[in-house]
Amino acid sequence: MRTVLLLTITAILSFTTPQAGAVTAKAPAVPAKTSTLKADFAALLGGVHEIAAPGAPGTLCVFGDAAFPVVIGGMGRETSGPVVGAARFGNGRVMAFSHNGYFGVEALATSDTAALMVNAVRWAAGGRALAAGAKLHVGLYRKGGLVEFFDKRGFSATDADLHRLNAVQVLVSDAHSFSDKDVEVVAKFVAGGGGLITASCGWGWAQLNPGKDLRVDFPGNKLLVPMGMVWGDGTLERTSPRGFAAGDLPPPTLHAGLALHSTLEHMAGRFQLSADDVTQASSTITAAARALPPNDATFLPKLAKLAGDDKVKLLPTPKTPIKKSDLSARLAATFQTMTAKILPPEQVKEHPAARIFPGEVPAGAARIPRSLTLDTTVPAWHSTGLYAPAGSVVTVEIPESAARKKLWLRIGAHNDSLWNLDKWERFPEISTRVPLTAPSTKAASMFGGPIYIEVPDKCELGEMPVKISGAVAAPYFVLGKTKPMDWKDRLRKEPAPWAELECSKVILTLPSSSVRALDDPEALMKVWERIVDLEDELAGTAAERRRPERVVCDQQISAGYMHSGYPIMTWMDQPKSFASKELLLKGNWGIFHELGHNHQSGQWTFDGTTEVTCNIFSMYVFDKLCGVTPAKGRVSLDEVAKNYAKHVSSGKRFDEWKKEPFLALSMYVQLQDAFGWDAYKKVFAGYRVAPQNELPASDDEKRSQWMVRFSKTAGKNLGPFFQMWGVPVSQTALDEIKKLPAWMPSDFPPKR
């Protein structure tokens, strides 16, 4: 277990600042108004040892003098972040959760989470004296489902009107329920002595509000920032079996203000932070800097002092990465990134690391204007065949009628953020997005990159003209549009360091060096089109495709060897394979797998099979494109027998089955071998047309329904087969298929 400062936040507040030049093992004092922190913490966590983890809780940054973390979650292997925070504000108090699921029935069904909620309401009320026999009045804003919960615990709970809070001692509301106009009303209520219990999920809000900035557009953050807290866009990992451990005072490095102050003292040599504390302080400060609005006048100016010269050369590479322990470099990178976001385009300069990755535009490359037609019926990124040199201003012109229609300019395909990783093999953030809110928009990026126009879903602008100037040409091939001779003679030689190859089903973003010698992109992209066609075919989603998939190669990605999404991200060992028809036809399990993730459905993917059901698509492409049937593929029938024997020897434990993707895949291989691909297609189609009330509502139902649907499609009772593998299904499901003839694969289970 990592070590942390043995000092609590309360202890820090009691220290006196050491004399200049002195060195101490203790953190220095910081000015603070909260003299009752220890009592506040005890009041909140009395009787609380572990709280629930509803959904995927986001991050909460605590930075204000009167704010403090209450419960923390994990952020990678070595660092943590607050999942619950609290603060005093004026005469009032506020408690914030990093997921609105904490107001849900399931989370509050756990005794400790319920106890924390009750403690929070009592603490937020400030210990006010009430008339004899009166109950504490809790106002519920759009949270009427909590009336019974609070009434049963001795409170008086009613629906709240934000403009009539005189009789309310504590207000309970999701932060995302507030409008900008509500923020001032609620802040005034708290400052005047009211209590607020609120919750939201930063990453969830950002996902539901594409094109908006969590830092400046989210009303919840507008409310919390003056109170010394802010929701970030990351996620937190559990620290206990059922959620998050609670009860211990979080270390001071979890408070961004204290972490920043301690780091300044550490770098000045006035005391020594441990290596673990440096790592945590770096993570905490970075998270806060990325979450705070650019006009923050309390934290960011101090960070600028800590970051030092903004011209510091940070040149991360795979051989010389920036590690979490490289505190000054990490914070300089944070400051440089935040500064570039608020500078006028003309003042954005090329970052020295841009020449390493994503690469340098050759000196003397011509800046060109280009006019194109944008089909806004196709959502997401639209390639332009242009590249923005690092530190150069590009201009985008659109019709006045299209301004403020949620179109964005994107510079850079490498949109994976590396902030939370233990080491950075490239700069942690190198892509830039700028809203197109005017007929003419100028933008610049420290790192440069391919230029895209982002189109929101359900855009109603139709086809529209776009003109881009100040960019350089990139190698760009579009199947069915680009003439092969133009590609060979001119386009593959264009100067930009990154190229794109496009067909109707997928767009590849590759280093230009990997396509300079590509003679026949048409044949290559027909193979790529076939790959995605096959996965669409198996999933039954071909008619619903509204945009191509995207695949981007990167120096470093945020998770795994590859990861799914838009775009699918891969490492730099893949361009050679992706640009070779011959290699693709031999098979590429990794990319077929990630495309499979993009075709998965949660309705037939139960716990333990997220990395399994995507491989059904891998097997299908191998079969139909590469000529390798599942029975003779990566998990052949021979491997199935070995996997089953090993599974039996370990007691056929379902928990073990869920941990081994290729063990679990064995079952799916057997089903395909016996009933063919048509059975899978029919089962998938059945889910797609089923009414919502017939779809599984829990993980138990997912397992049972998968068995029942496949059994009815195959005309066989698969109950004994599922039981043989130790996959739990309900008795109701078994009864539903018991009249079908029982089935088991031939020679299965294998003789030992």
Side-chain angles (χ1 to χ4, degrees):
M1 180 178 294
R2 70 182 183 87
T3 59
V4 297
L5 285 175
L6 299 178
L7 310 170
T8 66
I9 297 175
T10 304
I12 284 183
L13 299 179
S14 69
F15 290 143
T16 56
T17 305
Q19 297 295 317
V23 177
T24 174
K26 296 180 178 180
V30 295
K33 300 176 182 178
T34 312
S35 59
T36 57
L37 175 62
K38 189 173 183 179
D40 284 348
F41 193 85
L44 287 168
L45 288 181
V48 179
H49 305 287
E50 179 187 45
I51 67 170
T59 54
L60 186 72
C61 300
V62 177
F63 66 93
D65 286 350
F68 56 98
V70 178
V71 181
I72 63 174
M75 292 179 67
R77 291 178 295 175
E78 300 178 345
T79 57
S80 305
V83 68
V84 184
R88 292 185 177 228
F89 180 67
N91 294 319
R93 303 176 184 185
V94 60
M95 178 97 149
F97 293 85
S98 65
H99 198 287
N100 55 303
Y102 281 106
F103 292 148
V105 174
E106 187 174 349
L108 292 174
T110 61
S111 59
D112 279 15
T113 308
L116 177 59
M117 190 65 67
V118 170
N119 291 349
V121 170
R122 289 174 177 159
W123 173 80
R128 295 182 183 181
L130 299 174
K135 294 182 178 181
L136 187 64
H137 191 173
V138 179
L140 305 175
Y141 183 60
R142 299 182 179 177
K143 302 303 294 181
L146 290 175
V147 170
E148 183 179 359
F149 172 84
F150 285 114
D151 281 351
K152 282 186 175 180
R153 286 157 180 83
F155 303 111
S156 174
T158 59
D159 290 340
D161 181 340
L162 294 186
H163 298 279
R164 296 181 180 179
L165 295 175
N166 293 339
V168 172
Q169 279 82 52
V170 178
L171 176 67
V172 175
S173 176
D174 291 330
H176 48 263
S177 293
F178 298 138
S179 67
D180 285 343
K181 292 182 180 179
D182 296 334
V183 167
E184 183 177 353
V185 174
V186 176
K188 185 176 180 180
F189 167 72
V190 178
L196 172 65
I197 311 297
T198 188
S200 195
C201 179
W203 69 262
W205 183 91
Q207 191 174 69
L208 294 173
N209 292 272
K212 291 189 177 181
D213 190 330
L214 180 67
R215 300 173 303 158
V216 298
D217 295 325
F218 179 35
N221 275 348
K222 294 179 183 180
L223 175 65
L224 279 200
V225 164
M227 301 177 183
M229 296 185 287
V230 61
W231 280 286
D233 63 358
T235 58
L236 293 170
E237 301 169 2
R238 296 182 177 207
T239 58
S240 67
R242 291 178 294 179
F244 301 102
D248 294 331
L249 276 165
T253 46
L254 268 295
H255 183 288
L258 293 174
L260 181 60
H261 182 80
S262 299
T263 300
L264 284 166
E265 296 297 305
H266 170 79
M267 295 179 71
R270 286 190 280 269
F271 79 99
Q272 189 69 37
L273 284 171
S274 72
D276 286 343
D277 291 321
V278 166
T279 297
Q280 180 61 66
S282 172
S283 177
T284 300
I285 296 167
T286 299
R290 296 180 58 235
L292 282 164
N295 62 353
D296 168 69
T298 61
F299 185 86
L300 295 182
K302 297 176 184 177
L303 175 62
K305 179 180 178 182
L306 179 59
D309 186 355
D310 65 0
K311 295 184 177 62
V312 170
K313 291 186 177 181
L314 304 172
L315 305 174
T317 70
K319 292 184 178 180
T320 58
I322 295 177
K323 300 177 182 179
K324 275 192 174 178
S325 58
D326 300 330
L327 187 57
S328 60
R330 285 240 167 184
L331 298 177
T334 304
F335 182 70
Q336 290 169 14
T337 302
M338 297 303 109
T339 300
K341 289 184 177 182
I342 60 176
L343 284 176
E346 294 78 8
Q347 295 181 26
V348 174
K349 306 301 181 185
E350 178 186 14
H351 196 285
R355 300 184 181 186
I356 301 173
F357 193 87
E360 192 172 11
V361 172
R367 270 59 169 172
I368 61 171
R370 177 172 292 175
S371 296
L372 53 95
T373 300
L374 189 71
D375 180 3
T376 66
T377 63
V378 179
W381 304 5
H382 284 247
S383 299
T384 64
L386 295 171
Y387 193 93
S392 292
V393 176
V394 295
T395 303
V396 177
E397 298 176 60
I398 60 175
E400 187 172 356
S401 60
R404 299 187 181 279
K405 296 295 185 181
K406 299 183 179 180
L407 299 174
W408 286 72
L409 163 67
R410 165 176 285 278
I411 299 176
H414 303 95
N415 68 331
D416 261 15
S417 168
L418 311 181
W419 294 106
N420 291 331
L421 298 187
D422 294 337
K423 61 181 180 179
W424 300 337
E425 297 179 7
R426 65 156 168 83
F427 206 81
E429 185 175 319
I430 62 174
S431 63
T432 299
R433 295 175 74 240
V434 178
L436 298 177
T437 57
S440 180
T441 300
K442 295 181 181 296
S445 162
M446 291 195 297
F447 292 89
I451 296 174
Y452 307 92
I453 304 298
E454 294 187 21
V455 175
D457 197 22
K458 298 179 182 179
C459 184
E460 299 178 352
L461 293 170
E463 291 192 346
M464 55 171 278
V466 176
K467 182 178 180 180
I468 302 173
S469 54
V472 301
Y476 182 39
F477 176 87
V478 182
L479 183 64
K481 293 183 179 180
T482 305
K483 295 179 180 179
M485 193 57 67
D486 286 343
W487 171 261
K488 292 184 69 173
D489 292 347
R490 177 175 55 87
L491 295 178
R492 64 179 174 177
K493 302 173 185 176
E494 297 289 18
W498 283 82
E500 294 203 315
L501 305 175
E502 178 176 340
C503 63
S504 64
K505 295 299 180 79
V506 66
I507 303 172
L508 310 178
T509 304
L510 310 170
S512 294
S513 58
S514 66
V515 303
R516 300 288 190 203
L518 178 60
D519 290 328
D520 193 358
E522 185 172 15
L524 171 69
M525 295 314 293
K526 284 181 178 178
V527 174
W528 275 102
E529 194 158 59
R530 178 61 176 153
I531 290 168
V532 182
D533 261 336
L534 286 169
E535 300 216 4
D536 285 349
E537 177 181 286
L538 180 60
T541 57
E544 299 176 9
R545 178 167 293 283
R546 299 183 58 219
R547 57 156 176 79
E549 303 286 345
R550 279 190 178 271
V551 181
V552 176
C553 299
D554 199 339
Q555 183 73 61
Q556 185 180 14
I557 64 177
S558 59
Y561 175 61
M562 297 181 184
H563 72 71
S564 59
Y566 184 87
I568 292 170
M569 301 298 299
T570 77
W571 292 72
M572 294 296 286
D573 61 343
Q574 289 298 315
K576 180 179 179 181
S577 297
F578 290 171
S580 168
K581 171 188 171 183
E582 291 72 26
L583 290 177
L584 276 180
L585 290 174
K586 291 180 180 179
N588 186 314
W589 186 275
I591 196 61
F592 301 166
H593 170 102
E594 300 305 339
L595 286 165
H597 274 304
N598 284 3
H599 286 80
Q600 267 177 327
S601 167
Q603 302 297 342
W604 38 262
T605 299
F606 50 85
D607 185 32
T609 62
T610 300
E611 295 299 325
V612 178
T613 62
C614 58
N615 286 329
I616 301 172
F617 295 88
S618 304
M619 295 190 302
Y620 189 68
V621 178
F622 262 92
D623 189 351
K624 301 300 182 180
L625 180 74
C626 311
V628 180
T629 64
K632 297 181 179 180
R634 187 162 185 169
V635 181
S636 66
L637 291 179
D638 287 342
E639 288 297 314
V640 169
K642 294 176 184 177
N643 287 342
Y644 182 77
K646 181 179 178 182
H647 189 43
V648 170
S649 67
S650 65
K652 290 200 295 189
R653 295 195 303 271
F654 183 54
D655 284 345
E656 292 300 317
W657 185 94
K658 291 193 295 183
K659 291 178 183 178
E660 297 290 339
F662 291 111
L663 168 64
L665 188 62
S666 297
M667 287 185 65
Y668 295 83
V669 171
Q670 289 177 302
L671 291 174
Q672 191 283 327
D673 183 62
F675 304 111
W677 288 118
D678 281 348
Y680 274 100
K681 292 176 184 179
K682 289 176 182 177
V683 173
F684 292 159
Y687 280 95
R688 297 183 61 76
V689 299
Q692 184 63 37
N693 62 355
E694 293 182 7
L695 293 172
S698 67
D699 203 62
D700 289 343
E701 289 182 11
K702 288 181 183 181
R703 294 192 302 273
S704 294
Q705 195 169 126
W706 173 253
M707 180 193 69
V708 169
R709 287 180 180 273
F710 214 107
S711 292
K712 290 182 176 180
T713 298
K716 300 291 184 181
N717 178 354
L718 301 181
F721 175 65
F722 273 66
Q723 292 174 317
M724 186 67 69
W725 276 101
V727 176
V729 290
S730 70
Q731 186 60 48
T732 300
L734 292 170
D735 290 343
E736 189 173 348
I737 58 175
K738 66 182 180 181
K739 292 184 179 180
L740 294 172
W743 174 84
M744 194 69 68
S746 59
D747 301 323
F748 189 81
K751 296 179 181 179
R752 302 177 67 180

